[in-house]
Amino acid sequence: MNVIVSKEIETVCPVFVGACVEAEVVNTPYQPELWKEIEAMGEKFRAELTTESLKELPSIAATRNVYRACGKDPSRYRPASEALIRRMLQGKELYQRDTLVDLINLASIAYGYSIGGFDADKFVGDTLTLGVGREGEPYEGIGRGMINIHGLPVYRDAEGGVGTPTSDNERTKMELSTRHLLVLINGYDGNEQRVTENAEYIQQLLRKYCQSDGGRFFIYRYV
C-alpha cells in the first residue's frame, strides 16, 4: 500500500510523521492475557494522569492542535486515543470487541497516538491519501452512523474516506474474518522515534496474540 500525505495536512502540521504496519494475522474473539495488559495500563494512567493533564501529552496535544487548525473542536470530536484514555481515567471499562480491535486500542493508549486499524483487503486501489474532510462528505463511522468529518484529517482510498483520528469507517473495518491487517499511526507531534517505537510495539503484540510474524512497517511523511 502506498500512503501519501497531502499539502492540506502539510499546511496545518508541517512536522507530521506516520507509520504504516502491514501483517498477515489471525483474529479471535477474546484474549485474556491481552486484557490483563490493558487493565495494567489503565491502573498506570489512573496513578499518573487526570482528564485535564491528559490533554497535555505531546501526542494528544499535537492532534488536538491539528483539529483546531482544520476547524474542528477537539473536545466535541475527540481523537480516539484521548477518548480511550479519558474513559479509563473516569473508571469506565473499555469496550471489548475482538483481539485486533482490542490490540489496536492498547497500542493507541500506550503511546497516545490515534491509530487506524483496517482490513486491507477491503481497500479500493493501492493508495491511501491523508487529507482534510470536506463539507458534506459522506462518512459512516464504526458504530456511529453517518458523522460530519468536515475539518477532520481523513485517509481516503479510491472510493472515499476510510479513517479519521476520531473514528474509522464501517466499510474497511477489521472483523473476525480479517487476515490482512493494515495499521496507520498518526504522529502529528513529529516524533519519529516514538512513532517507530509504537509500530514496533504493535508488531510485538501481533506476534503474541494474532499468530503473526509481525509483518513489516514503513515511515511516511511529505514527499
Side-chain angles (χ1 to χ4, degrees), residues 77-136:
Y77 293 85
R78 295 187 192 278
S81 54
E82 179 186 350
L84 289 167
I85 300 173
R86 183 181 177 86
R87 186 173 180 84
M88 286 180 153
L89 294 177
Q90 292 172 332
K92 301 174 182 177
E93 294 185 356
L94 298 188
Y95 297 109
Q96 194 276 317
R97 301 300 188 191
D98 58 52
T99 298
L100 282 179
V101 173
D102 300 341
L103 182 153
I104 296 300
N105 284 345
L106 173 58
S108 181
I109 64 178
Y111 284 82
Y113 293 119
S114 288
I115 299 176
F118 309 92
D119 186 323
D121 292 331
K122 297 179 180 179
F123 289 133
V124 178
D126 62 359
T127 301
L128 297 173
T129 302
L130 177 59
V132 179
R134 297 183 285 265
E135 186 71 48

Side-chain angles (χ1 to χ4, degrees), residues 161-182:
V162 298
T164 75
T166 291
S167 175
D168 291 330
N169 197 301
E170 280 280 352
R171 175 168 63 87
T172 51
K173 71 179 181 181
M174 302 176 293
E175 299 181 282
L176 283 175
S177 59
T178 297
R179 294 295 178 266
H180 182 193
L181 173 71
L182 187 138

Side-chain angles (χ1 to χ4, degrees), residues 22-199:
E22 288 190 78
E24 297 299 321
V25 297
V26 174
N27 199 5
T28 52
Y30 178 75
Q31 286 279 2
E33 292 303 313
L34 173 61
W35 272 89
K36 288 181 182 179
E37 293 196 48
I38 293 172
E39 290 162 1
M41 191 72 67
E43 291 179 7
K44 177 177 182 292
F45 284 143
R46 284 188 289 273
E48 297 176 355
L49 294 172
T50 67
T51 54
E52 287 304 309
S53 64
L54 164 64
K55 299 175 186 177
E56 299 169 6
L57 293 178
S59 50
I60 290 176
T63 307
R64 290 174 63 88
N65 288 339
V66 167
Y67 272 39
R68 292 190 189 95
C70 291
K72 210 68 165 177
D73 181 356
S75 294
R76 183 178 179 190
Y77 293 85
R78 295 187 192 278
S81 54
E82 179 186 350
L84 289 167
I85 300 173
R86 183 181 177 86
R87 186 173 180 84
M88 286 180 153
L89 294 177
Q90 292 172 332
K92 301 174 182 177
E93 294 185 356
L94 298 188
Y95 297 109
Q96 194 276 317
R97 301 300 188 191
D98 58 52
T99 298
L100 282 179
V101 173
D102 300 341
L103 182 153
I104 296 300
N105 284 345
L106 173 58
S108 181
I109 64 178
Y111 284 82
Y113 293 119
S114 288
I115 299 176
F118 309 92
D119 186 323
D121 292 331
K122 297 179 180 179
F123 289 133
V124 178
D126 62 359
T127 301
L128 297 173
T129 302
L130 177 59
V132 179
R134 297 183 285 265
E135 186 71 48
E137 183 172 0
Y139 190 95
E140 185 177 2
I142 297 175
R144 293 169 175 254
M146 301 304 291
I147 64 174
N148 176 16
I149 64 167
H150 178 227
L152 283 179
V154 57
Y155 286 94
R156 299 183 181 95
D157 66 4
E159 187 170 314
V162 298
T164 75
T166 291
S167 175
D168 291 330
N169 197 301
E170 280 280 352
R171 175 168 63 87
T172 51
K173 71 179 181 181
M174 302 176 293
E175 299 181 282
L176 283 175
S177 59
T178 297
R179 294 295 178 266
H180 182 193
L181 173 71
L182 187 138
V183 180
L184 299 173
I185 303 168
N186 297 284
Y188 290 100
D189 61 354
N191 191 330
E192 183 174 340
Q193 179 178 341
R194 292 247 324 150
V195 168
T196 298
E197 290 172 357
N198 202 170

